[in-house]
Amino acid sequence: DEPQKRFIYYTKPLPRYLRKNPNGNLLRALALGMEIRTLSHDEYSRLFGGLHGGSSLAPADLDPPVPGKSLWVPQGGACGIAKHGSDVLANEVIDYWTLHGKGMPLAVCLPGGTCTTALLMQRSLNAIMDQRRKEKERAMDIRVVVIPCVGDDEYAMRQMISLDKAVGGTGRKEDLPWILKPRVDVEYGSARRRSRGYFTFGQPSKALLETYDEMNSENVSLDLLYGAPAWSLLLQQWRSQESDCPIAGRQLMYIHSGGLEGVASQLTRYKHKNLLPDARAVQTS
């Protein structure tokens, strides 16, 4: 039998409650054999920080567990080895829309942390579209729209430009996904007003819980870190029907980012913040 691969995950300090009571995604990952390496905030920032959220290359002073036989995957998978998956995803989108799109324009919407999936899928779609044009096939109007869930639109743009250059692109904004922004004519409250309408990543919010519940009532399961923030902005813009919005006049296809195994631990945080009624049961995965 092939020897089992080790998976080592570097992280900032975990909350005390989570250290004592692993649950959700952490519990599942540990059960699958993940080895966790906890670093101080300063050490984590020194190794993995930076204006663009870190490098696609392993830090020079981070010793690989098996020299010469270790694969480095940066935060969010922000590196070229993710390209194969984006090629598969882009072809699935093209195949589906060829059969069901009826020639209508499409916005493929994704939540974004490092925005890797959105950027690489845009590159894959661009390559497929170029090939279709060369072969004189019918043109398709498909755009990728990323919804920032970590940071804001400026952070998302920096991330995508950096990664595009790292995988051989030019970093031209014209080649990158569109970015969905919060509307400016909405009263968000002091916290979200400071972030120009974006949610603070990982921070429990009544608005996110309302979106989570609304989508659940439509039989759409979301997580609270990426899915609920993304759909909060999507619903806001979809209902506004503003003509300059990147999803205006288009059919929507949402690429789910997963994370549902973490919903139980996320709801537990909402309960600790008194945002979840005591009578409401915390969902288990």
Side-chain angles (χ1 to χ4, degrees):
D1 293 341
E2 186 177 350
Q4 183 178 2
K5 302 295 190 296
R6 295 173 64 194
F7 174 42
I8 300 173
Y9 187 79
Y10 296 88
T11 183
K12 300 172 186 175
L14 298 174
R16 183 172 58 182
Y17 174 82
L18 196 56
R19 291 200 308 270
K20 292 184 176 181
N21 304 278
N23 57 76
N25 289 332
L26 175 61
L27 179 62
R28 178 65 173 153
L30 291 171
L32 290 170
M34 179 185 74
E35 302 174 38
I36 196 163
R37 299 281 193 274
T38 304
L39 307 174
S40 69
H41 287 282
D42 288 344
E43 182 73 355
Y44 189 93
S45 296
R46 184 182 69 80
L47 288 171
F48 311 124
L51 184 64
H52 310 297
S55 170
S56 58
L57 302 176
D61 53 352
L62 185 69
D63 294 329
V66 183
K69 294 185 178 180
S70 297
L71 177 66
W72 165 252
V73 180
Q75 181 172 305
C79 56
I81 59 175
K83 182 179 180 299
H84 174 71
S86 71
D87 288 343
V88 172
L89 185 57
N91 276 294
E92 288 177 351
V93 169
I94 291 287
D95 290 345
Y96 180 86
W97 207 241
T98 298
L99 290 175
H100 305 286
K102 301 178 181 177
M104 294 183 289
L106 175 67
V108 181
C109 301
L110 306 88
T114 61
C115 302
T116 299
T117 304
L119 184 278
L120 292 180
M121 192 171 76
Q122 181 71 74
R123 287 177 58 88
S124 298
L125 283 172
N126 289 346
I128 295 171
M129 297 299 190
D130 287 345
Q131 187 61 36
R132 288 175 66 94
R133 280 191 288 270
K134 290 177 183 177
E135 297 175 358
K136 302 293 192 294
E137 295 187 43
R138 180 168 59 88
M140 302 178 74
D141 184 358
I142 300 177
R143 68 172 49 161
V144 177
V145 180
V146 67
I147 310 163
C149 299
V150 178
D152 56 16
D153 54 292
E154 294 177 356
Y155 176 75
M157 182 60 71
R158 291 198 304 270
Q159 290 272 72
M160 292 192 291
I161 290 174
S162 175
L163 179 57
D164 191 49
K165 291 179 178 179
V167 296
T170 63
R172 294 193 321 153
K173 292 184 179 181
E174 296 81 5
D175 298 330
L176 305 181
W178 295 67
I179 299 177
L180 193 69
K181 303 176 184 179
R183 292 184 60 185
V184 298
D185 58 347
V186 174
E187 174 53 50
Y188 292 108
S190 59
R192 286 182 66 192
R193 189 162 56 243
R194 287 194 296 272
S195 59
R196 296 185 295 125
Y198 289 102
F199 293 95
T200 301
F201 182 71
Q203 183 66 39
S205 160
K206 182 181 178 182
L208 293 181
L209 190 60
E210 289 172 350
T211 299
Y212 169 84
D213 287 337
E214 178 180 353
M215 298 306 294
N216 257 341
S217 71
E218 300 291 339
N219 297 316
V220 177
S221 298
L222 300 175
D223 74 301
L224 284 152
L225 293 179
Y226 291 94
W231 273 97
S232 290
L233 293 188
L234 257 181
L235 291 171
Q236 179 195 95
Q237 292 286 12
W238 184 39
R239 287 164 175 161
S240 74
Q241 298 295 314
E242 292 289 339
S243 59
D244 59 348
C245 173
I247 63 173
R250 293 175 175 270
Q251 300 297 302
L252 298 185
M253 178 186 292
Y254 178 76
I255 305 296
H256 202 298
S257 61
L260 297 182
E261 286 185 329
V263 168
S265 58
Q266 293 159 18
L267 287 176
T268 298
R269 292 193 64 214
Y270 275 71
K271 195 174 184 64
H272 290 163
K273 294 284 187 178
N274 295 319
L275 291 171
L276 204 64
D278 289 337
R280 176 170 170 178
V282 173
Q283 173 183 334
T284 57
S285 311

